[in-house]
Amino acid sequence: MINKFIGVGYLTSDPKSQVFSNKSKCSFTLAINSSKTEVLFIDIETWDKVGVNCEKFLTKGSCVYVEGKLKVNKWESKDGSKKQRYFVSGDVVRFLPSAKKDSANVENPEPSVNISNIVNEEDIPF
């Protein structure tokens, strides 16, 4: 069986951290557009170093790529009904540029590398 989640989306709020005796956890909710009219809200949990970096560098609106596994918590409520909650345990979180930061540089884009320094015109085959 394969249990693999891959998603790209935006944080709906600032991440929340919890510290336990020997581990730390960072939780956040990811909004992913599944179509033009539908948005999925996926709860993400990250642990230890990944969680520390998420808590340190992410804020509401941050765009992230998440890889992980789908997990479920099951419990019984006070009234005796059975409950469950699905979430993703994130193993890899990559911080992506957000649209707000990119739009600031649209009017005056500056190339990060000077192309004339990379390509020698004598090496071009045509």
Side-chain angles (χ1 to χ4, degrees):
M1 295 300 211
I2 296 175
N3 181 359
K4 183 76 168 182
F5 170 86
I6 297 174
V8 175
Y10 295 94
L11 273 69
T12 61
S13 62
D14 289 339
K16 294 176 179 71
S17 290
Q18 291 179 300
V19 178
F20 303 101
S21 59
N22 60 350
K23 288 189 168 232
S24 62
K25 176 177 86 168
C26 181
S27 303
F28 54 90
T29 300
L30 200 61
I32 300 173
N33 292 342
S34 64
S35 69
K36 288 184 179 183
T37 59
E38 186 177 57
V39 178
L40 300 174
F41 296 97
I42 310 291
D43 292 330
I44 309 289
E45 289 184 359
T46 57
W47 292 87
D48 299 325
K49 290 181 183 179
V50 176
V52 169
N53 284 333
C54 288
E55 203 277 323
K56 188 174 181 181
F57 296 109
L58 296 178
T59 59
K60 178 181 179 178
S62 296
C63 185
V64 294
Y65 164 93
V66 177
E67 270 184 49
K69 294 178 176 70
L70 189 62
K71 293 190 173 186
V72 64
N73 280 339
K74 295 181 180 182
W75 70 95
E76 194 171 303
S77 67
K78 292 179 182 179
D79 65 359
S81 62
K82 295 186 181 200
K83 304 281 186 177
Q84 61 184 16
R85 177 182 80 88
Y86 288 92
F87 66 97
V88 171
S89 178
D91 301 321
V92 175
V93 177
R94 294 209 169 100
F95 308 150
L96 302 176
S98 67
K100 292 177 187 176
K101 291 177 186 173
D102 291 345
S103 64
N105 294 328
V106 169
E107 293 179 34
N108 298 318
E110 292 184 25
S112 59
V113 178
N114 187 349
I115 295 176
S116 63
N117 292 338
I118 296 174
V119 179
N120 186 350
E121 290 185 19
E122 295 172 3
D123 294 337
I124 299 175
F126 48 87

